[in-house]
Amino acid sequence: MNFSTLKPAEGSVKTRKRIGRGAGSGLGGTSTRGHKGAKSRSGYKKKIGFEGGQMPIQRRLPKFGFKNINRIEYRPINVSTLQELAEAKNLTAITKADLMDAGLAQKNDLIKILGDGALSLKLEVTANAFSKKAEEIITAAGGSCVKL
């Protein structure tokens, strides 16, 4: 046995169909594309969402909803989370940098402190916004709220 005698297994290699090579080949004329219509033409590409002429679903369904362009998205952080963070790292002041280090916020996030949980430490919290309840909890514990 050597390389010159190697050949593929019987029936594993099929010759490709050579379409559009004249009537004598049996695959000339319409070249397996049927008669007329967009799909028989060269360069045919179906449009996204095309459903064969039927009214497409994105036109059958009504428009709905509203996107407020003035909406401000905040990263919500609860008072209980501040308590855990301050205890874990022995902090008296919590800034955006501390929250980023803890993986609670990203660089471009606006932070809002929410009032879920309790606070026993005196903390100076710096954030973009505070809920009324959060402000009450922080000031009741002897801390302060600094808005950016």
Side-chain angles (χ1 to χ4, degrees), residues 77-86 94 99 113 123 125 138:
I77 295 173
N78 282 309
V79 171
S80 58
T81 311
L82 298 180
Q83 173 78 22
E84 290 168 16
L85 182 65
I94 294 179
L99 297 170
I113 308 299
L123 292 175
V125 184
I138 293 167

Side-chain angles (χ1 to χ4, degrees), residues 83-102:
Q83 173 78 22
E84 290 168 16
L85 182 65
E87 285 174 354
K89 296 194 176 185
N90 291 332
L91 300 172
T92 55
I94 294 179
T95 61
K96 185 175 183 175
D98 297 321
L99 297 170
M100 284 167 54
D101 291 340

Side-chain angles (χ1 to χ4, degrees), residues 13-123:
V13 178
K14 228 173 155 182
T15 53
R16 96 184 153 86
K17 211 187 255 193
R18 296 185 73 235
I19 58 171
R21 293 292 182 271
S25 70
L27 298 169
T30 57
S31 303
T32 74
R33 287 173 174 259
H35 292 280
K36 299 183 182 173
K39 289 184 185 175
S40 72
R41 319 279 184 209
S42 69
Y44 167 73
K45 190 168 187 279
K46 186 174 68 172
K47 289 184 176 74
I48 294 170
F50 182 68
E51 296 181 20
Q54 170 179 292
M55 187 64 71
I57 193 162
Q58 77 271 17
R59 290 190 58 201
R60 272 181 278 156
L61 297 176
K63 292 180 183 181
F64 69 96
F66 168 73
K67 198 79 149 175
N68 185 356
I69 59 166
N70 298 315
R71 179 176 167 79
I72 300 170
E73 281 280 340
Y74 288 102
R75 171 77 56 176
I77 295 173
N78 282 309
V79 171
S80 58
T81 311
L82 298 180
Q83 173 78 22
E84 290 168 16
L85 182 65
E87 285 174 354
K89 296 194 176 185
N90 291 332
L91 300 172
T92 55
I94 294 179
T95 61
K96 185 175 183 175
D98 297 321
L99 297 170
M100 284 167 54
D101 291 340
L104 297 168
Q106 260 55 130
K107 186 174 90 172
N108 297 323
D109 284 345
L110 297 175
I111 297 163
K112 184 169 184 174
I113 308 299
L114 304 178
D116 186 36
L119 189 65
S120 60
L121 301 169
K122 180 181 174 183
L123 292 175

